Amino acid sequence: MNSTMSEEPDALSVVNQLRDLAADPLNRRAIVQDQGCLPGLILFLDHPNPPVVHSALLALRYLAECRANREKMKSELGMMLSLQNVMQKTTTPGETKLLASEVYDILQSSSLSDMDNMNEMNYRRRKAQFFLGSTNKRAKTVVLHIDGLDDSSRRNLCEEALLKIKGVISFTFQMAVQRCVVRIRSDLKAEALATAIASTKVMKAQQVVKSESGEEMLVPFQDTPVEVEQNTDLPEYLPEDESPSKEQDKAVSRVGSHPEGAASWLSTAANFLSRSFYW
């Protein structure tokens, strides 16, 4: 975690760190209340690098899950206009349009009546769904316990392995408990994740599942590797309400949160964002 003053984080690393911090509900209020992070995320929506835009939208999606954040997010200068611009750009990938539309819908719903809100959200979702095409499938959540996931270099190895898999939508790490929560397409086998992680030669994954009594269990994967289809595009995103594996999320506690570490990184991110008005 040590870094020198000369090491300036790049835009993608900063926005990815904010995305991971925003994935933890305990951090969401602090991120939105910080004077630099929210305006910086809005600036990132106009970044020329598509992965930066996609990661910024994921961060905003997480932040918008906290109801107390929505009014401030909606009223933040440039927020709604920037989301509209992402949705209307012809060069924006389909899954990114859908994600921007969903964030817009959530924030807009804070002031619309229930009926107007439903009509607006249904319209926008149908419109965004068009860009994904007929190949859009439901997503599922897989919780992995990863032996060997004990420092930032191992985490980077794991990220690289997961990003190579076609069908991985998103993932967040809980380093303190050596876990990774992965959202994948329903037609992707969890064994593919284990194969990719095993390819690092220094880590091995087991699946975290709930027993009928509600207790967590670790289920090892078979040692036989499965074929992993390589990903050449941005990770796809599907709305949370289309995930049939909601209960899997409940199997993972938030004990991986480190408020002091989050506060430190928020400060670093805010300092970087304040200098990022031009790229």
Side-chain angles (χ1 to χ4, degrees):
M1 297 296 291
N2 293 334
S3 59
T4 65
M5 293 296 292
S6 62
E7 289 178 338
E8 179 68 24
D10 59 60
L12 186 58
S13 66
V14 169
V15 76
N16 282 346
Q17 184 69 28
L18 278 172
R19 176 202 64 198
D20 291 345
L21 288 172
D24 190 331
L26 296 178
N27 296 329
R28 291 171 185 167
R29 293 289 296 275
I31 293 174
V32 170
Q33 290 170 3
D34 185 275
Q35 292 184 350
C37 289
L38 195 56
L41 285 171
I42 294 172
L43 288 174
F44 279 144
L45 295 180
D46 194 39
H47 199 280
N49 187 7
V52 171
V53 177
H54 192 268
S55 193
L57 284 167
L58 277 173
L60 291 172
R61 176 63 176 83
Y62 285 130
L63 296 176
E65 288 181 10
C66 176
R67 291 183 180 274
N69 285 342
R70 293 175 186 174
E71 278 299 331
K72 178 171 174 54
M73 290 177 67
K74 181 183 177 183
S75 62
E76 191 71 34
L77 183 65
M79 173 69 78
M80 304 305 279
L81 181 60
S82 295
L83 290 171
Q84 287 179 323
N85 288 341
V86 173
M87 290 187 285
Q88 293 169 3
K89 274 186 182 177
T90 57
T91 55
T92 302
E95 63 272 14
T96 303
K97 285 180 184 285
L98 179 60
L99 184 50
S101 175
E102 187 166 343
V103 175
Y104 185 96
D105 289 341
I106 292 172
L107 300 183
Q108 189 74 357
S109 70
S110 62
S111 60
L112 291 176
S113 68
D114 290 343
M115 184 59 68
D116 289 342
N117 177 38
M118 288 301 298
N119 291 339
E120 179 78 4
M121 289 186 71
N122 288 337
Y123 168 74
R124 290 187 178 279
R125 182 157 294 178
R126 285 196 303 270
K127 185 177 179 181
Q129 195 77 12
F130 168 79
F131 294 101
L132 281 180
S134 58
T135 59
N136 184 20
K137 296 181 176 64
R138 289 182 177 271
K140 60 185 178 183
T141 301
V142 177
V143 181
L144 300 176
H145 176 84
I146 304 176
D147 294 319
L149 182 66
D150 47 23
D151 58 37
S152 58
S153 63
R154 295 286 179 88
R155 171 183 168 143
N156 290 339
L157 279 176
C158 192
E159 283 183 349
E160 292 173 5
L162 292 174
L163 285 171
K164 291 177 182 177
I165 306 174
K166 187 171 185 179
V168 169
I169 299 168
S170 64
F171 50 84
T172 55
F173 290 93
Q174 297 170 339
M175 297 295 290
V177 288
Q178 295 184 302
R179 289 188 179 180
C180 182
V181 182
V182 191
R183 294 186 68 237
I184 60 177
R185 291 178 63 123
S186 59
D187 55 355
L188 178 65
K189 294 182 178 179
E191 286 79 6
L193 306 178
T195 297
I197 292 170
S199 70
T200 65
K201 307 297 185 184
V202 292
M203 288 177 284
K204 185 175 181 180
Q206 301 178 76
Q207 188 168 1
V208 181
V209 298
K210 264 190 173 182
S211 66
E212 291 184 359
S213 62
E215 295 182 356
E216 291 183 11
M217 303 188 314
L218 297 181
V219 179
F221 292 98
Q222 294 182 351
D223 291 332
T224 307
V226 299
E227 185 176 350
V228 178
E229 188 175 358
Q230 297 293 300
N231 185 27
T232 57
D233 302 314
L234 277 172
E236 292 179 317
Y237 179 88
L238 293 177
E240 291 290 339
D241 58 7
E242 291 192 2
S243 173
S245 303
K246 283 279 189 179
E247 63 181 1
Q248 282 283 8
D249 294 319
K250 298 176 184 176
V252 180
S253 67
R254 294 290 181 176
V255 295
S257 304
H258 294 286
E260 69 280 359
S264 174
W265 232 100
L266 279 178
S267 176
T268 301
N271 288 337
F272 174 83
L273 292 170
S274 67
R275 298 192 295 273
S276 300
F277 289 90
Y278 304 97
W279 293 289

